[in-house]
Amino acid sequence: MRTKLLDLHTGGSESITDITDMCRDFVAEGGGDGLLNVFVPHATAGVTIMELGAGSDEDLLALLGDLLPKDDRWRHRHGSRGHGRDHVIPALIPSQTMVPVVSGRLELGTWQSVALVDTNIDNPSRQVRLSFLTGAG
């Protein structure tokens, strides 16, 4: 198993960050077949595989805003207004995903990208752990 820690800055607003190229570069370094595990060690962010750049990312943020409004209904209260909803995000957008790798290439569909989803405007510094798991032989 090989691992790499990515340090990202997501800014001061809700964001979806495309990390596909970073994932692609990481698995290409060693080549081979296996699984790429993408893990976000944060209680207020998640990772997903989806189409990006055609409005889907904005649609996802709008959907999360509709489902989980940033208001004062949340019991978890600290930080900016409505921050408690950020702690619910990983229940909907998981903290990890797996991508098959064949011959050192991500086996994503034509329009699929790997994305970090971060709605927490209080903490723009994020880490993503990439782990390339290969068979023993």
Side-chain angles (χ1 to χ4, degrees):
M1 178 173 80
R2 288 186 304 112
T3 66
K4 180 176 186 174
L5 194 61
L6 305 175
D7 288 309
L8 303 172
H9 185 78
T10 57
S13 61
E14 295 183 1
S15 65
I16 297 179
T17 304
D18 188 348
I19 59 170
T20 309
D21 287 341
M22 291 175 254
C23 293
R24 198 173 275 132
D25 293 345
F26 175 68
V27 298
E29 289 172 14
D33 299 345
L35 292 171
L36 174 66
N37 180 265
V38 183
F39 175 72
V40 180
H42 298 287
T44 58
V47 289
T48 192
I49 297 173
M50 64 180 287
E51 179 180 6
L52 298 175
S56 299
D57 28 3
E58 290 90 356
D59 288 341
L60 177 57
L61 291 176
L63 173 68
L64 292 173
D66 290 344
L67 289 174
L68 306 169
K70 277 200 175 262
D71 58 22
D72 294 327
R73 74 182 69 198
W74 307 100
R75 290 181 183 92
H76 185 110
R77 294 179 190 263
H78 70 84
S80 62
R81 182 173 189 256
H83 173 67
R85 68 81 92 144
D86 298 326
H87 288 271
V88 178
I89 295 293
L92 300 174
I93 313 254
S95 59
Q96 67 178 346
T97 193
M98 297 283 272
V99 182
V101 176
V102 176
S103 299
R105 289 190 348 251
L106 298 175
E107 288 295 303
L108 293 169
T110 301
W111 303 111
Q112 289 181 316
S113 297
V114 182
L116 168 67
V117 179
D118 186 8
T119 61
N120 182 357
I121 63 172
D122 295 334
N123 183 7
S125 297
R126 295 297 180 184
Q127 292 184 323
V128 176
R129 178 169 298 281
L130 305 179
S131 299
F132 185 42
L133 310 161
T134 59

